[in-house]
Amino acid sequence: MKTLASLFLAVALCVPVVIFGSDVRNVVFPEPQKIEISADEGTTSEAAKNLRFCIDASCGNEGYRIEILPEEIVVSHATEAGKFYAEKTLEQLKNHYGNALPLLRIEDAPAMRWRGLHLDVSRHFFSVEEIKKFIDTMAFYKFNRLHFHLTDGPGWRIEIKKYPRLTQIGAWRVDKTDREWNWRETEIPLGGNAETRKLYGGFYTQDEIRELVRFAKERHVVIVPEIEMPGHSFAAMMAYPELACAGNNVPVDGLRGKDMVCVGKPETTQFFIDVLSEFAALFPESPIHVGGDEVWHECWLDCPDCRARMKRENLKSSVELQTVFMRDIIAFLKKQNREIIAWDEIFAGGLSDEHVATMVWREPELGYRAAERGPVILCPGEWLYFDMYQGKPESEPLAIGGFIPLEKVYEFSPFPQDLSEKARKNILGIQANLWTENMTTMAHVEYMLFPRAFALMDIAWHGAPRNYARLLEQIRLQLPNLKARNCNFRPLEK
Ligand code: ACM
Ligand code: ZN
């Protein structure tokens, strides 16, 4: 048998190494950081069953090494995540080459810690089985964060024992799925039995949530639950009208922009603390996302309780009402030693807390400034909102608007040249957001996700966009994998 040293020839010469028809560097997605191919091109290993795992601290947190030798395959890793990613790489190699694997050596590790996908299950609801499939596909491509948008105006999707009406009422709305999205104004009926009326909706029981968390953990995906506050709270206020400001006729005003809870009443803060306590127990290892986006602060000026709080706390503007409300929520979670995330707006009113990660959905510059203070996740709407059109609206399913084709996603460069070292370290990663106003089925979600998720992952794994032509070739080689997983996608040639 040849020695390892002579078997492998570093192919750092940038010549594509074509084995059995396709460049081996294009077969595994995301493309590993380094692949060295055996000098004996065409030699294969039938040793797929002869797998040996070794611990090697030098592989780092999510990294791994694979050596495919004639008689065995050696996988080195420092963590269980690294081992899992090595297994996914081998799975992809086997899917492509069968049992006759090319002799090679891979060294791999991601550039970014947060490789996320967001899924809105409020606007449309997806079953536990569908979410499991989504997570499994994420894991196959080494995504590691599922931002689970569980509460919003059109539906509350998680059982909270202390407040049963959140799901008895807030999880159901009059079924208007036969109409175009624009005509589907949310109508949550009070009372009645969801089973016997034609209502749209659903929610996850606490047992189902625990099962999803377990399933995701096995695949090294952290589910990051979000509870929206103080805005996007129509469903919660329909269930518990006392959360609303005095004078807010929730069924009518709540749909006309007044969907903020009353932040003047201490009972509102207590409500969210109670809900968060159940969240914290259900997601014991997750950061918790506390929402905070798209708040119409001025509407609080009509409320005596909110005005009284402004006076009591000497606040100069209604924006600061959000600041003090979030401050109390954050203080509660900090006491529980929880990691916290919020949308970028919550910092507008002077809140400054290096403990809270900023999730930036507006301009990335907001993120670069925030990264001077603390952790940041970038999901800017201009590049990473996968609810936008991928092609000409006439030939696409209805989308929210905009135009973000694959090429556009691949233009997003998370690290500008002039970023300080501190800010660079604080940028945890990137994610794409799937708001599901128009996505009524998981097949549609998948269509919006792929192939754009490949561009996102390539940037997350390597830290920057690279070669678009190569990406296209790599995507082409992934389509059989998507088909085999029964996962929908938008065809490349469309
Ligand atoms: C958002 O898109 N409102 C976070
Ligand atoms: Zn109020």
Side-chain angles (χ1 to χ4, degrees), residues 245 262-264 300 303 305-306:
C245 286
C262 178
V263 290
W300 286 322
C303 167
D305 293 310
C306 288

Side-chain angles (χ1 to χ4, degrees), residues 8 38-39 52 58 96 148 229 239 281 285 318 330 336 355 401 417 494:
F8 293 106
S38 163
R52 185 156 61 87
S58 73
H96 188 82
F148 210 21
M229 66 185 89
E285 294 167 18
S318 53
I330 288 165
Q336 316 271 318
H355 189 83
Q417 296 262 308
K494 199 170 161 185

Side-chain angles (χ1 to χ4, degrees), residues 293-294 343 361 385 435:
D293 60 322
E294 297 186 306
W343 295 113
W361 69 282
Y385 265 39
W435 302 99

Side-chain angles (χ1 to χ4, degrees), residues 4 7-9 11 17 19-20 22-28 32 34-45 64-70 72-75 89-90 93-94 97 100-107:
L4 186 60
L7 261 178
F8 293 106
L9 183 72
V11 193
V17 182
I19 295 186
F20 321 124
S22 40
D23 180 345
V24 103
R25 293 176 309 163
N26 289 340
V27 167
V28 176
K34 195 166 164 196
I35 303 187
E36 294 171 2
I37 315 290
S38 163
D40 292 351
E41 191 187 318
T43 315
T44 59
S45 169
Y64 64 91
R65 194 166 57 244
I66 296 176
E67 288 154 294
I68 302 183
L69 304 168
E72 64 173 348
I73 297 177
V74 185
V75 170
T89 292
L90 281 172
L93 285 169
K94 283 184 209 159
Y97 295 109
L101 298 177
L103 302 187
L104 50 71
R105 176 191 164 96
I106 289 177
E107 272 180 46

Side-chain angles (χ1 to χ4, degrees), residues 113 371 415-417 419-428:
R113 277 173 285 168
F415 298 112
Q417 296 262 308
L419 207 58
S420 75
E421 204 43 44
K422 178 176 182 194
R424 180 174 286 269
K425 284 209 178 98
N426 270 336
I427 293 178
L428 305 182

Side-chain angles (χ1 to χ4, degrees), residues 48-113:
K49 285 197 200 82
N50 219 353
L51 200 56
R52 185 156 61 87
F53 291 97
C54 312
I55 299 290
D56 180 346
S58 73
C59 290
N61 198 21
E62 293 180 291
Y64 64 91
R65 194 166 57 244
I66 296 176
E67 288 154 294
I68 302 183
L69 304 168
E71 276 133 34
E72 64 173 348
I73 297 177
V74 185
V75 170
S76 308
H77 61 97
T79 63
E80 285 302 305
K83 180 179 179 201
F84 181 79
Y85 291 146
E87 287 168 341
K88 292 291 134 193
T89 292
L90 281 172
E91 193 179 330
Q92 292 192 7
L93 285 169
K94 283 184 209 159
N95 286 354
H96 188 82
Y97 295 109
N99 275 335
L101 298 177
L103 302 187
L104 50 71
R105 176 191 164 96
I106 289 177
E107 272 180 46
D108 201 12
M112 300 187 112
R113 277 173 285 168

